[in-house]
Amino acid sequence: LHNHSKMKQINLNSTIRTQIGGNSAKRYRKSGQIPAVIYGESGEKNLLIEEKSLVAALKQVAGKAVLIELAFSDGTESRYAMIKDTARNPLTGAVEHVDFIEVVRGKPMHAVLPLHFSGEAYGVKNENGVLEIHEHEVRVKCRPRDLPEMIEIDVSALKVGEAIHLKDVKAPEGVEFESNLEDVLCTCNLVKEEPEAEPAAAAEGEAAPAADAAKEAAPAKK
């Protein structure tokens, strides 16, 4: 349960956006610039990021926790950030706007990390079991430099009837889990044998009129 991939970092250049508002946003997008905002301790900044580099960055970030170093055209010091929200065009899927949240160097930060389950459970391999995933992410607290991209959980020792709780997972160095340690992350359950389809359907057909008859009979009892 100890394999954690270390944090990746992506660098993005941004231009400070001077005009704010609907029409200007459209104009910017036409010229291949995507409007963005970074929120955080150092205050808010309205930015423009080149669409090509933003799309490439979003591909690298997908499904992982990744820190982005944003450089600014106005010469102020670059800031670390994480993507908080991405607005896309409902028809084309093109990115229209991005919100970044600032991450302060050296200060503890809160993040939500994806859980990645690896290996084949013993119960699946040998006991006719099926792996059921109950949680797909976990809340953590750590310094930016200790942020892993994901938490990897090896399920290979899991037998039928067993579960992996968050408390069974060793947190990477410098990372503290903030989700409930009793949370069940995954279980291995016996595959239920499905009954033959036809008798079940017939039984349902018989049950329905009986239920209706019961409904009609109910008022009569009053």
Side-chain angles (χ1 to χ4, degrees):
L1 305 179
H2 301 204
N3 186 7
H4 307 283
S5 45
K6 215 49 189 153
M7 178 193 89
K8 233 203 208 112
Q9 197 181 308
I10 293 174
N11 299 74
L12 266 184
N13 292 321
S14 69
T15 313
I16 301 302
R17 176 163 46 121
T18 46
Q19 295 175 303
I20 318 265
N23 286 341
S24 59
K26 269 189 205 128
R27 272 205 309 280
Y28 286 132
R29 283 198 286 268
K30 270 209 178 96
S31 66
Q33 304 276 319
I34 303 299
V37 180
I38 180 168
Y39 300 93
E41 288 196 7
S42 324
E44 239 174 76
K45 271 185 196 282
N46 290 288
L47 310 170
L48 287 172
I49 298 171
E50 194 199 4
E51 185 171 18
K52 276 207 274 297
S53 53
L54 181 63
V55 168
L58 288 172
K59 273 204 182 99
Q60 286 180 272
V61 171
K64 304 185 196 87
V66 179
L67 273 190
I68 292 169
E69 185 166 2
L70 276 174
F72 305 115
S73 61
D74 63 357
T76 51
E77 198 189 351
S78 66
R79 295 195 219 165
Y80 282 135
M82 288 184 84
I83 290 175
K84 183 172 182 259
D85 203 21
T86 309
R88 289 179 185 270
N89 181 304
L91 296 176
T92 64
V95 179
E96 294 197 328
H97 188 277
V98 179
D99 284 341
F100 294 97
I101 187 100
E102 183 184 5
V103 170
V104 182
R105 290 176 175 83
K107 263 197 178 180
M109 58 176 284
H110 301 272
V112 175
L113 297 185
L115 295 174
H116 181 75
F117 298 88
S118 63
E120 190 182 4
Y122 177 91
V124 171
K125 222 185 225 168
N126 305 306
E127 303 177 309
N128 194 28
V130 61
L131 184 73
E132 288 192 27
I133 310 290
H134 299 277
E135 296 290 343
H136 291 276
E137 49 190 37
V138 60
R139 294 192 313 279
V140 301
K141 179 181 171 186
C142 62
R143 292 190 169 211
R145 62 159 188 256
D146 292 326
L147 179 74
E149 287 185 4
M150 60 179 74
I151 301 291
E152 194 155 327
I153 296 166
D154 180 6
V155 300
S156 47
L158 196 63
K159 296 189 169 120
V160 162
E162 292 181 342
I164 294 176
H165 295 78
L166 186 55
K167 64 183 175 191
D168 305 323
V169 179
K170 186 178 186 294
E173 202 168 320
V175 176
E176 190 186 317
F177 291 140
E178 293 200 304
S179 295
N180 186 343
L181 292 179
E182 296 301 326
D183 280 354
V184 173
L185 307 183
C186 65
T187 53
C188 186
N189 305 324
L190 204 55
V191 175
K192 291 186 183 71
E193 291 301 324
E194 291 296 322
E196 296 285 302
E198 283 159 50
E204 271 172 36
E206 287 158 23
D212 290 347
K215 265 191 217 137
E216 283 163 18
K221 280 185 192 152
K222 277 185 188 168

